[in-house]
């Protein structure tokens, strides 16, 4: 089922477009700290089902935001809207001061960008999936090299050097030439993280990166994510790994039924949640 097709303008105001370009200028000067992600009043419907009901979230450069909430609350959909895997029905999302997936036409309406431009924008946003989404017929190294070679047009040698370096970084120097079927879940997810890093993203979105893993492999993936956070990567992480969230998150955001219910530092949200919906959700987790 489709929503806003490319010739149907999404509802948005000229004012919101002006805000986006202001952010752009500030960013260009490098003088001001700006948000990497700016989502404003995002609505998303699948047919008659409204899944996102006005979600607004800003994420600062270098910030780690952990998104929690019950199954079906819209967490995956929200992440997918940020890199325009999904079109939005209302509102706007910008990354690094640029609207994602849309441009503003002469009348101030949002129009969907051309596919090539969307691909270019998406290349700057890493996405790590719950089920890895590696190419099964390619080796670990090929999985990591493919994006830089196709999108960044770098040479095979350069791409392979980059790929080896990144696989080493996630502890997989022994697995360059191995296919995904011969890797454990934790190893597959580390290849997927190396693949995201290969595009030199400004931001990485993680959608329940450890929830498909056997318990003994969760730690090795979280350790890689922790090291990325320590190096200043901006990350939005859908995860219910409380230990990770307490240690690494700058902010925990609770989503329920298509809205952000509350947000705050991990200790505040986990130990003193303000909302009944957060309390009920956390009680079920423990
Ligand atoms: N492509 C789709 N088509 C129709 N409904 C969808 C689609 N993707 C997600 N949904 C519905 O949107 C709601 C939110 O899903 P999702 O974003 O996956 O939630 P979460 O990640 O929090 O579990 C659910 O009711 C789900 O069934
Ligand atoms: Mg999900």
């Amino acid at each position: 089922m489709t929503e806003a097709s490319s010739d149907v303008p999404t509802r948005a105001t000229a004012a919101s477009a002006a805000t986006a370009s202001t952010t752009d200028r500030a960013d260009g000067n490098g003088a001001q700290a700006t948000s990497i992600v700016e989502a404003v009043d995002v609505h998303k419907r699948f047919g008659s089902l409204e899944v996102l009901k006005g979600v607004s979230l800003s994420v600062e450069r270098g910030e780690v935001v952990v998104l929690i909430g019950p199954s079906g609350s819209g967490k995956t959909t929200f992440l997918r809207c940020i890199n325009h895997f999904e079109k939005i029905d209302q509102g706007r999302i910008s990354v690094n001061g640029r609207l994602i997936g849309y441009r503003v036409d002469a009348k101030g309406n949002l129009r969907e960008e051309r596919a090539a431009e969307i691909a270019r924008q998406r290349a700057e946003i890493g996405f790590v999936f719950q089920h890895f989404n590696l190419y099964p017929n390619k080796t670990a190294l090929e999985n990591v090299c493919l994006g830089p070679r196709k999108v960044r047009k770098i040479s095979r040698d350069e791409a392979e050097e980059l790929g080896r370096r990144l696989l080493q970084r996630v502890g997989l120097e022994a697995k360059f030439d191995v296919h995904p079927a011969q890797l454990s879940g934790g190893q597959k997810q580390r290849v997927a993280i190396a693949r995201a890093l290969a595009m030199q993203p400004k931001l990485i979105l993680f959608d329940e990166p450890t929830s498909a893993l056997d318990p003994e492999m969760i730690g090795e993936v979280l350790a890689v994510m922790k090291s990325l956070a320590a190096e200043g990567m901006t990350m939005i992480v859908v995860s219910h790994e409380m230990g990770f969230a307490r240690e690494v998150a700058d902010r925990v955001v609770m989503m329920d039924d298509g809205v952000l219910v509350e947000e705050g530092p991990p200790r505040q949200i986990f130990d003193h949640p303000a909302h009944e919906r957060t309390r009920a959700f956390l009680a079920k987790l423990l």
Side-chain angles (χ1 to χ4, degrees):
M1 216 162 292
T2 58
E3 325 65 42
S5 69
S6 45
D7 51 359
V8 178
T10 299
R11 266 177 286 163
T13 61
S16 62
T19 311
S21 60
T22 306
T23 313
D24 233 355
R25 277 196 297 279
D27 206 51
N29 293 336
Q32 269 170 268
T34 54
S35 304
I36 291 250
V37 180
E38 189 80 48
V40 180
D41 192 33
V42 173
H43 290 252
K44 172 65 185 175
R45 282 180 283 275
F46 290 110
S48 60
L49 179 68
E50 189 169 33
V51 173
L52 300 179
K53 302 173 178 174
V55 174
S56 297
L57 180 72
S58 309
V59 179
E60 298 300 314
R61 192 180 306 277
E63 200 180 9
V64 178
V65 171
V66 169
L67 184 58
I68 64 171
S71 178
S73 59
K75 304 179 301 295
T76 295
T77 302
F78 181 54
L79 288 193
R80 289 173 58 83
C81 288
I82 294 175
N83 74 347
H84 204 64
F85 279 148
E86 301 289 350
K87 296 172 187 182
I88 62 177
D89 294 302
Q90 192 179 327
R92 64 182 170 84
I93 300 174
S94 31
V95 173
N96 234 19
R98 271 283 284 124
L99 283 177
I100 291 295
Y102 299 93
R103 64 194 154 75
V104 183
D105 73 9
K107 292 179 181 160
N109 289 319
L110 297 191
R111 303 236 159 223
E112 195 172 24
E113 278 286 7
R114 291 178 305 274
E117 175 59 17
I118 290 171
R120 206 193 55 72
Q121 294 182 335
R122 203 175 274 151
E124 303 193 333
I125 306 170
F127 202 110
V128 175
F129 302 86
Q130 183 175 359
H131 295 287
F132 328 122
N133 293 21
L134 298 176
Y135 293 102
N137 56 341
K138 295 195 183 299
T139 65
L141 187 59
E142 287 166 344
N143 266 281
V144 177
C145 293
L146 197 67
R149 286 203 63 202
K150 282 209 159 159
V151 179
R152 304 259 185 251
K153 311 279 186 218
I154 65 175
S155 71
R156 176 188 289 268
D157 284 355
E158 245 183 302
E160 288 192 354
E161 194 194 313
L162 174 69
R164 286 200 190 88
R165 188 160 53 75
L166 290 173
L167 284 171
Q168 268 162 5
R169 177 174 175 178
V170 299
L172 292 175
E173 49 281 339
K175 303 290 181 185
F176 293 155
D177 299 319
V178 167
H179 286 78
Q182 297 157 266
L183 295 171
S184 71
Q187 290 169 335
K188 281 188 244 197
Q189 197 59 298
R190 286 186 283 146
V191 173
I193 292 172
R195 176 178 62 178
L197 290 172
M199 300 299 283
Q200 298 176 294
K202 300 195 165 69
L203 160 75
I204 305 184
L205 310 172
F206 293 84
D207 191 8
E208 302 209 38
T210 61
S211 60
L213 301 179
D214 291 334
E216 70 271 23
M217 291 168 190
I218 291 174
E220 69 196 41
V221 171
L222 293 179
V224 170
M225 293 169 63
K226 261 181 233 178
S227 76
L228 295 180
E231 288 166 25
M233 179 60 75
T234 310
M235 299 162 48
I236 304 178
V237 184
V238 175
S239 175
H240 298 138
E241 291 293 332
M242 305 279 245
F244 172 81
R246 279 183 189 274
E247 191 178 340
V248 180
D250 297 297
R251 211 159 21 123
V252 174
V253 177
M254 163 74 189
M255 187 173 218
D256 190 21
D257 197 20
V259 298
L260 301 187
V261 175
E262 66 176 308
E263 61 170 64
R267 256 187 287 173
Q268 179 189 319
I269 299 298
F270 294 145
D271 301 338
H272 308 284
H275 283 258
E276 181 48 40
R277 286 201 266 181
T278 313
R279 280 195 285 270
F281 172 70
L282 292 172
K284 274 185 218 157
L285 266 194
L286 297 173

